[in-house]
Amino acid sequence: MPSHPVHPSEHDPRRTLHQRDYFSLFLLGLFNPVITSMRALCQTSTLRRTQSALGTMPVSLGSFSEAQSLFEAQLLKAVLERLCQDMPAPNKEFGTGIDPRSLRVVDSTLWYVLPRMEWATWRRNYKNQRAVRLHLKYRLSDGVPATGITAKGTLCERKALRQQLQAGEFYIGDRNYGQDYDYLQELSAAGCGFLMRLRQNQVCVQTVSSLPLSADDVAAGVCRDEWVMLGRTARYQRGEFRLIVVDRPDMEEPVWLVSNQAPEQLAAAELATLYRQRWEVEGFFRWLKCLLPCRHWLAESENGVAIQIYSALICAVLLTQRLGRRPSKRMLEMLAFQQMQEASDEEVAEALRLEHLRATRARQPRYGRLVKERQATR
């Protein structure tokens, strides 16, 4: 894990709230549904059971508020990345010519913040709107957040990805990433693979060569597979890129995709399937906001908000690592009951077993499940 500078006051003998205690309290606030404010969290720190479990001392409102400017959120970002690296390699396959561990869906989501948090001004639509944006790299192979950047809502998605580029990774993004052709060339020069959607009402293509379509390509709805140059005139043209157009009867409009992968690496049907799975990140954002919500901002500075969001992502990884999948609402309720001492460890273990069983059944084809059930009853 990379080293991060420690604030000079961290080792002051008068300090009783250290960064480990501070971050642990944030995680407690996310796991415990009773804690909905900073005052409630500080009140919880006075309970003997909390002090015994976390190894903390009672925390005052002033100390907790001051700590958001002392402890760096980047430390939690490093913890998040290390947790993802330590997870076992998935065995999920996405194509014959690509490493599934390299697939990253890139996207962003917004959290609205309080009007008094002026540093987060996003836009002016009849009134000032303030929001913070999470730019996420979502690991498609196992459904966990690999890393992310928290910033003001005005930070462009392409600029955020530029700060997170890593050679060897394969990025899948929507039309905001594909509308800048110079940016696509920058991704290729950085040693990154990509699959981005184009704005077909603005795109100008010049076909260099057409590629034959296989039966699998046609079955996936692919109607064009070409090497093209993108741009209106020769001066502004960029490429060569690979253009894949997908059009099926169940789609409202054709989807134009651009990639730098040769047919030997990924077939057109595989690229179309990869982009369709990009929508998993939208489900992750919905799950993150609904089941692990930032119900109340425990800190209102830019660094403090980043600490809370990174804490939520760490919770998501820990729960996924423990359960083998993202927990359902019922499972999170059971964990909350355990926190409140309403559910025993045995009841939580049984709920975990049933959660694993439901996850296994959901991954099996319906016909296969029926055969196994009939064989088990004989």
Side-chain angles (χ1 to χ4, degrees):
M1 183 183 300
S3 60
H4 292 268
V6 178
H7 195 273
S9 69
E10 174 71 14
H11 301 297
D12 192 308
R14 295 170 295 178
R15 171 168 293 282
T16 58
L17 178 62
H18 299 276
Q19 60 182 11
R20 172 188 174 278
D21 308 327
Y22 185 64
F23 296 148
S24 297
L25 287 172
F26 265 98
L27 291 173
L28 175 64
L30 288 169
F31 273 112
N32 194 317
V34 177
I35 302 173
T36 58
S37 67
M38 183 175 66
R39 291 180 180 274
L41 188 59
C42 292
Q43 177 66 26
T44 306
S45 70
T46 64
L47 303 177
R48 285 179 293 180
R49 185 169 181 265
T50 301
Q51 295 174 16
S52 175
L54 301 182
T56 59
M57 300 290 290
V59 180
S60 66
L61 289 172
S63 296
F64 191 88
S65 180
E66 177 200 27
Q68 63 184 300
S69 60
L70 302 180
F71 305 136
E72 287 292 332
Q74 294 302 312
L75 179 60
L76 288 183
K77 180 184 177 184
V79 171
L80 172 67
E81 294 171 354
R82 180 60 180 271
L83 284 173
C84 293
Q85 292 173 5
D86 291 344
M87 292 185 70
N91 55 8
K92 191 175 181 180
E93 296 293 336
F94 292 89
T96 56
I98 191 169
D99 183 1
R101 293 172 296 182
S102 68
L103 293 174
R104 303 286 185 272
V105 178
V106 288
D107 206 348
S108 68
T109 188
L110 282 172
W111 276 275
Y112 291 99
V113 297
L114 301 175
R116 62 174 175 266
M117 298 162 68
E118 296 183 358
W119 59 268
T121 298
W122 174 38
R123 65 182 181 182
R124 292 174 173 83
N125 187 11
Y126 300 107
K127 64 177 182 179
N128 291 343
Q129 294 182 334
R130 294 176 174 84
V132 62
R133 187 182 293 272
L134 169 64
H135 298 271
L136 187 69
K137 290 167 67 173
Y138 176 83
R139 205 159 67 181
L140 189 59
S141 56
D142 51 7
V144 298
T147 187
I149 291 179
T150 59
K152 302 175 184 178
T154 54
L155 180 62
C156 173
E157 291 178 327
R158 295 188 298 275
K159 291 182 179 179
L161 180 57
R162 186 178 285 119
Q163 300 176 29
Q164 305 180 82
L165 288 182
Q166 186 173 343
E169 291 186 339
F170 188 98
Y171 301 119
I172 307 171
D174 60 12
R175 285 172 281 199
N176 288 332
Y177 297 94
Q179 66 181 3
D180 187 340
Y181 306 148
D182 288 324
Y183 188 75
L184 298 178
Q185 282 197 329
E186 183 180 340
L187 292 177
S188 295
C192 303
F194 65 82
L195 175 64
M196 308 296 185
R197 185 175 179 180
L198 295 173
R199 296 182 183 272
Q200 57 263 37
N201 58 342
Q202 300 177 0
V203 68
C204 289
V205 301
Q206 178 181 347
T207 302
V208 177
S209 62
S210 297
L211 299 172
L213 299 179
S214 66
D216 291 338
D217 297 338
V218 175
V222 178
C223 57
R224 289 176 64 180
D225 186 4
E226 304 171 345
W227 288 107
V228 300
M229 302 293 292
L230 296 177
R232 294 183 179 278
T233 62
R235 178 181 178 184
Y236 299 104
Q237 282 181 347
R238 301 292 183 266
E240 298 178 355
F241 299 119
R242 189 175 172 200
L243 175 70
I244 298 95
V245 179
V246 183
D247 189 12
R248 298 195 308 272
D250 59 336
M251 297 170 55
E252 295 182 0
E253 60 179 4
V255 174
W256 290 44
L257 304 174
V258 61
S259 178
N260 60 350
Q261 301 296 295
E264 298 78 18
Q265 297 171 301
L266 285 171
E270 293 173 335
L271 289 172
T273 302
L274 271 181
Y275 187 79
R276 190 159 59 247
Q277 296 185 28
R278 188 203 77 84
W279 295 101
E280 287 187 19
V281 72
E282 303 294 347
F284 174 79
F285 285 145
R286 182 179 182 276
W287 176 84
L288 184 68
K289 290 183 175 182
C290 291
L291 300 184
L292 280 177
C294 293
R295 298 177 295 272
H296 181 89
W297 295 109
L298 302 176
E300 297 181 5
S301 67
E302 187 170 0
N303 185 67
V305 169
I307 288 174
Q308 187 162 344
I309 293 177
Y310 283 132
S311 299
L313 293 176
I314 290 173
C315 282
V317 174
L318 291 175
L319 289 170
T320 303
Q321 188 179 40
R322 178 64 181 86
L323 304 177
R325 65 189 293 258
R326 289 199 297 269
S328 64
K329 185 174 182 179
R330 300 285 85 81
M331 190 65 240
L332 283 175
E333 288 172 349
M334 182 61 69
L335 294 175
F337 289 145
Q338 185 190 36
Q339 288 281 324
M340 300 165 62
Q341 295 187 332
E342 294 291 337
S344 64
D345 294 341
E346 292 75 16
E347 291 171 323
V348 172
E350 177 63 16
L352 287 173
R353 189 189 68 81
L354 294 175
E355 188 86 2
H356 276 297
L357 180 60
R358 283 192 290 267
T360 304
R361 289 169 59 88
R363 287 192 292 265
Q364 293 178 353
R366 184 173 181 272
Y367 176 76
R369 293 204 308 268
L370 289 175
V371 170
K372 289 184 178 181
E373 288 174 359
R374 290 174 181 174
Q375 291 176 346
T377 56
R378 291 177 181 175

